[in-house]
Amino acid sequence: MSEAAANQASESYLSSGWRIRDWLLTTDHKRVAWLYTISITAFFFLGGLAALVIRLELMTPDGDVVSADAYNQLFTIHGVVMVWFFLIPSIPNTLGNFLLPLMVGAKDLAFPKLNLISWYIYTVGGLFTIAAVITSGVDTGWTFYTPYSTQFADRAVVAALTGVFVVGFSSIATGINFIVTTHKMRAPGLTWFRLPLFVWANYATSLVMVLATPVLSATLILLILERMMGIGIFDPALGGDPILFQHLFWFYSHPAVYIMILPGMGVVSELITCFSRKTVFGYHGMALSILAISVFGFLVWGHHMFVSGQSLYAGLMFSLFSFFVALPSAIKTFNWTATLYKGKLIFSAVMIYALSFVGLFTIGGFTGIFLASLAVDVHVHDTYFVVAHFHYIMVGSMVTAYIGGLHFWWPKMTGRMYPELWAKVAALALFIGFNLTFFPQYLMGYAGMPRRYQTYPEDFQILHVMSSLGAGVLAIGYLLPLVYLLWSLRWGKRAPPNPWRAAGLEWRTDSPPPKHNFLEPQTVTGPPYDYDTIDNK
Amino acid sequence: MTTTPSTTSKAVPDEQFDDLTQQRQAVLMGMWIFLATELMLFGGIFTAFTVYRFAYPDVFAEAATHLDLKLGTLNTVLLVTSSLFMALAERAVNAERRRLTLTFLLVTISIGVIFLGIKGYEWHHEYTEKLMPILGLEFIYPGANPDRAEMFFNFYYVLTGLHAVHMSMGLVMLTVLVVFTMRWRDPPRLGRQIQINGLYWAFVDVVWVFIFTTQYLLRA
Ligand code: HEM
Ligand SMILES: [Cu+2]
């Protein structure tokens, strides 16, 4: 290699090219990761804004901030944006996109163009849906239940459905890309059981994306056709069954909740080992339980339908399987704590995020078991108890993991360090604000407060006010990182290649990495998370 | 899944790959996974169909007799034949026989177009028989339980329509391949492209066989 060529190759991916097309037409997985990061951040704060108005409204028992219709539209916007446009792409398409090739020692994903196209599909579909939902009155909630969506709701629901349908293709594209990359592009010596758990998690997530998303696509097509062309598949007047919609919907959407947590589990596994300076406890169990969750996840959708009128025997089976799916989740939780045990813990901001994840996931998972118990669910179904359950998992765990991961890999992605003290403040604000927001929701749900209501009896007001105040604290926890992370881009200290002395191929290259990730081809000779060796060097 | 022809020298893999074998395997695997997603897509709709087929067995079996079995059979034969030519095209390109590849591709396309023509004729026929309950069109069903029968036709149009969309996408891709074959810049690469498109075409074929069985053949 001539010297000029060598210089060019070692130039960081960030310094090569800052024309608009260098970004909008890039096929570099690291740049596409940034495109995604920008999009999902915008969606996150949009969805968050809707949530804040909802919480404001719920400060008082009467409907006094917005109209009843507007309230319904608000929780629809919130749910649609957060689930479809934030959580599903969140970790896989940002951190996953950036890290997967680095972690397997590849130059890029297997299909870089497809990766870029997926971002366009996602962004255009997302914006289209938002426009449809905001300019009209879609008020179905994120679940689009029939017959409401097909026969009564505002016609703009078709536009919203189309947008979600389109975004599905970006999930599928990502899934295909990740699976093929993991199978075919690992560095020499990087056997399956030497892969970082983050890779395992994204791999399992991709399996779910690839196998479940198309069923959602089919379901959405049927809804759209019913609404647009009168091809009634769920229409009771033709002998159709609206409950069939729920079956198809949850066949996707239960596995999809694992799309919304597995990547978080992957992130946290990386963070905890690094800041315990110990190898992951029970690595094989961790990897296999990720796979087990993604497989069992396909067998439990009926636990969303215990009171829908599905057969009692079906309910029993779904209840049982839901307990089974909690087993691998529990294995993971025990293994995280066992990793901490006798570790040399470092309470950095990243570690606070990781520990928050474990605690909040435990609570969310436990209450999942309550809900999976047939008899208990009859009582708490469609109450705030359910709302609290899934927010503990999707927000308390997944969003926390995402932000924690963003901090952990920030030096790698940007070449800059963030201010540790502010990060600690933000992490604590998040933990406190989150619990204040959502723990009261368990209590009020158990006491009978139904979800999706704008007004409520006065008895619930104290709990609702606590929850709303908590949401304020939580918002600070989310806004702070936005500020200081952006600040660090310019004023942060320059990051060395491996600021945390972490294991993993991604730390062997520069921060930020060169365009093709590594200057020399990488080989792997030992197990992952070999912290003993690293620390004794 | 890249379909752009390479203009650079021949035996070089795309920049993310180490060598051509890796690239070939990756692309093939990508296509297989994509087909798995397609399977799940149609699978969802077939599942819904199965539910109603069991719920209303007699009405559905009776409704199926209103479809044109002869044309359906003809179309099945045509599509299977087209898959044969697609497979031949793959052979031809691997043997670096440009004209032959071109011929086989064009035959495949022609059969595909004829298939869609026949399908369109069938739909038109059903339309004139007032068996097309779409967009508020009148649905006049001569047998018992017209509402349940309407459900059957709803599935028929969803499945055949979705299949026709897939056929059309396949035809577009085949047309692109025809252009590539005429240019003949990088035959090994073209061979890979024809191979993965052939997989897709075969899949569309298999889906049709399922549609044919469940819609036309399960009749009273
Ligand atoms: C530990 C295993 C889990 C079990 C046993 C479980 C169980 C349940 C059950 C039974 C329900 C239905 C409650 C009802 O509607 O009455 C439910 C709702 C829900 N769960 Fe979980 N869950 C688990 C983990 C998760 C995870 C990991 C997520 C997301 C990342 C999640 C997200 C949700 C959501 C979004 C809903 C409500 C959907 C809606 O109606 O809008 N759950 N869960
Ligand atoms: Cu579920």
Side-chain angles (χ1 to χ4, degrees), chain A residues 83 87 142-143 145 249-250 253-254 256-262 265 293 300-307 318-319 321-327 329-330 361 364-373 376-378 380-383 385-387 389-395 397-398 451-452:
Chain A
V83 170
L87 275 173
W142 75 281
T143 48
Y145 271 16
F249 180 83
W250 289 115
S253 289
H254 183 83
V257 307
Y258 293 107
I259 297 178
M260 299 183 248
I261 192 67
L262 290 174
M265 296 173 159
I293 291 175
V300 303
W301 75 88
H303 66 210
H304 296 272
M305 302 167 59
F306 286 148
V307 301
F318 282 127
S319 181
F321 282 132
S322 303
F323 287 170
F324 285 162
V325 91
L327 283 177
S329 313
F361 178 75
F366 257 126
T367 50
I369 303 285
F370 290 25
L371 294 170
S373 318
V376 180
D377 188 62
V378 174
V380 291
H381 174 67
D382 257 347
T383 68
F385 194 87
V386 176
V387 177
H389 155 68
F390 66 74
H391 280 86
Y392 261 79
I393 290 178
M394 306 206 304
V395 184
S397 314
M398 181 69 165
R451 68 192 279 202
R452 296 184 172 170

Side-chain angles (χ1 to χ4, degrees), chain A residues 191-211:
Chain A
T191 55
W192 280 90
F193 284 116
R194 286 177 178 175
L195 285 173
L197 290 171
F198 182 77
V199 174
W200 274 104
N202 275 285
Y203 179 76
T205 307
S206 303
L207 287 181
V208 179
M209 283 178 167
V210 162
L211 293 178

